[in-house]
Amino acid sequence: MQDQRFSELRLAGIGRTFGAQAALRDLSLTIRGGEFIALLGPSGCGKSTALNCLAGLLPLTTGSIWLDDRRIDGLPPERRGFGMVFQNYALFPHMTVRDNIAFGLKMRKVPKSELLRRVDDVMRLVRLEDHAGKLPPQLSGGQQQRVAIARAIVYEPPVVLMDEPLSNLDAQLRLAMRTEIRRLHQTLHLTTIYVTHDQVEALSMADRLVVLREGIVQQVGTPDEVYGDPANRYVAGFMGYRNMLELDVARVTGTEAVVTGQGVRFTGRAFGQLETTRAVAAIRPEDIVVEAAGPNQVQVIAEVVEYHGHEMLVEARLPGGDPLFFRTEKRLAPGDATTVSVPTDRVLVYPADTPAALVEEVA
Amino acid sequence: MTVAATPEATAAIAARTGRPSLRHRLAERGIDRVLLLLVPGVLFLVLLFVYPFLYGLQLSFAPEQGGPLSNYQTFFSDPYLRDTIATTMWIGLPAALINVLASVPIAYQMRGRFRGKRTLTTLLVVPITLGTVLTAEGLIQYVGPSGWVNKFLRDFGLVDQPLILIHNYWGVFFSLVITGFPFAFLLVLSYLSGIDPTLEQAAASMGAGWRQRFRYVTLPLLAPGLAITFCLSFVLAFSVFPSANLVGDPSGSTRVIAIAAFHAAFEQYDYSMGSAIAMIMGAVMLAVIALVLGWRSTLYRGATGGKG
């Protein structure tokens, strides 16, 4: 195997504007060789722009891109040598599976015997041996997806870019391909930058996540960091903190904050500058405990109960009238009154500066 | 059925009679009343194309003297008539080829979105609206012996004698390019726009420079469209008539087959011979089209979108 390893890919303040609109602003990130990075955010957050800039399909407006100490942002896509998996796969419809996969090697003028061997290896890796002679339109969605991936990794590029590769597949296939991509990454250790709007996908596959919003980086961290300690209420909303209660700040002591309102008094962890009088308490439905003697107790009345297999998703009313969502294995019926509690480290208190509408949109 | 039956009424009838409604049974056989909308079109085609064609065909086999095939025998034994095929080919094939080949790079550059695309397209397509006569007049003014081109060439001492570019082969050729190019360009542009741009991006990401992208991705997907464009351009050029008269040499080097047919029918009043020449003209065009389409059938002709 020809070694394409490098120690780091550095994005130095890259940005891209379309007319007056900034699609991506000042993204700085150092990616270690072999790392799996997910760019996460809703549509229009700049994640695809970032990927296209990396691929060389879009010129940068600001900043620079470095592969170790080589500056690459001026190079056209064909001279960057990256692999790219497109959202619509972009398979060449007139070429067989084998020719599609061999394309990158052919462009690199790899000798025929080596080319055949490497194409065969990769086809075996993605389990396409039986389809070598077929044309893309004769394949199922999952098979086309595997051709697209095989084609992008066969020449062992230093970096593989993936643009929402699973968004065109049905739910079951998506799960299977997710594992497949993760397995390929563990086998080949190719540095991968993966764009998605699905936080579960990002959390389950990536070594590190970059959460974007309106072209601005919100948080960079491991899945654990981003999931457990979202940097702001926007990231929290995106990470499944469905309860966003706007309350008054009663007291802040170090990292502990007490917020009141809606007939509740919650003690939680303070994030950001809590100098405002209003704050948002973010709580994940699965962190709420039903009928347990614990901190942050509150009496609620169940209103809508959804059956989710081994647990229920309940929408209940707080004494103040606002909804509170929680998951429980207890069988509750609409109208039931119950007491719930939340561990103090699972209540995240953010300043209420960003408009709530923006948060609800992605929650 | 004289009135449109409501679904409920049809269902009621079906329930009473115990079998599906007429409309349902017709639909099973692929017949739909909407197909009646085709009647005017079919009628138009039959009255204005099929009938005159068949009439001309039988007329060509009914000469004033001789057997049914004598018109065709005369055509192929008289070099003055027979050679018009080669003359027309010699004008039509290069003109069609140039129009298609020149369209490709221009359309290729214009396939994306850019500012001023509409203006540029309009500019390139305007000649299609010019009549042949206007084009011919323009050509005479522009490249004629005392036209601007020759004035320029002589003033700069590039030629001693004016270049003869009209009333010969070149006059007709230029005229065909001027009127035929916009047509070929529009077709090629629409074929190119149908090719998913991410295919080229994918090729670029895999290391293909623009030449390789064109050769391995765009051209193979475009080729079937080029074949069609060539056929249509060729048919237009092969039936050249007005410009062969106006800016050509209608009794010599540009005596095309259409002139021969016109001459027979409207100067010698031999309609039968005129029809025979027209039939030969049609047959030659069909032969060329068959050849090109035969080649096209060996190409990939499926979807040109990204997902395949």
Side-chain angles (χ1 to χ4, degrees), chain B residues 1 22-39:
Chain B
M1 253 193 248
L22 177 66
R23 184 157 68 161
H24 195 99
R25 277 176 287 138
L26 286 176
E28 289 275 281
R29 288 155 199 266
I31 300 167
D32 187 320
R33 271 176 304 170
V34 179
L35 286 176
L36 289 177
L37 290 175
L38 284 176
V39 169

Side-chain angles (χ1 to χ4, degrees), chain A residues 329-349:
Chain A
E329 288 176 34
K330 303 238 165 56
R331 292 313 191 225
L332 286 177
D336 287 357
T338 184
T339 306
V340 298
S341 65
V342 200
T344 51
D345 65 329
R346 297 317 310 149
V347 178
L348 314 185
V349 184

Side-chain angles (χ1 to χ4, degrees), chain A residues 78 82 88 91 94 108 144, chain B residues 196 199 204-206 216 307:
Chain A
E78 61 267 27
F82 293 179
N88 67 354
L91 301 179
H94 58 298
R108 284 167 176 70
Q144 292 186 16
Chain B
D196 183 350
L199 294 180
S205 76
M206 286 185 274
Y216 294 113
K307 230 182 136 188

Side-chain angles (χ1 to χ4, degrees), chain A residues 57 77-78 81-84 86 88-95 100 103-104 106-109 135 137 144 151 155 168, chain B residues 196 198-210 212-213 216-218 220-221 300 302-308:
Chain A
L57 298 171
E78 61 267 27
F82 293 179
M84 183 150 180
F86 290 79
N88 67 354
Y89 314 145
L91 301 179
F92 304 132
H94 58 298
M95 291 186 201
N100 262 285
F103 191 83
K106 198 169 148 192
M107 293 304 117
R108 284 167 176 70
K109 303 202 164 54
L135 290 176
Q144 292 186 16
R151 194 174 70 164
Y155 46 90
N168 283 333
Chain B
D196 183 350
T198 60
L199 294 180
E200 267 200 67
Q201 296 182 349
S205 76
M206 286 185 274
W210 74 265
Q212 291 161 316
R213 298 203 285 273
Y216 294 113
V217 180
T218 310
L221 294 173
Y300 169 83
T304 51
K307 230 182 136 188

Side-chain angles (χ1 to χ4, degrees), chain A residues 102-138:
Chain A
F103 191 83
L105 295 173
K106 198 169 148 192
M107 293 304 117
R108 284 167 176 70
K109 303 202 164 54
V110 171
K112 185 91 182 173
S113 60
E114 192 194 338
L115 179 142
L116 288 175
R117 182 179 56 75
R118 285 170 73 172
V119 170
D120 281 341
D121 285 350
V122 169
M123 280 201 291
R124 210 167 310 122
L125 195 65
V126 297
R127 291 175 225 137
L128 281 170
E129 312 92 302
D130 302 337
H131 307 285
K134 288 189 186 167
L135 290 176
Q138 297 168 302

Side-chain angles (χ1 to χ4, degrees), chain A residues 49 60 94 100 127 133 138 165 185 192 222 283 288 295 356:
Chain A
T49 305
L60 294 178
H94 58 298
N100 262 285
R127 291 175 225 137
Q138 297 168 302
H185 182 251
T192 306
T222 64
I283 305 165
I288 295 176

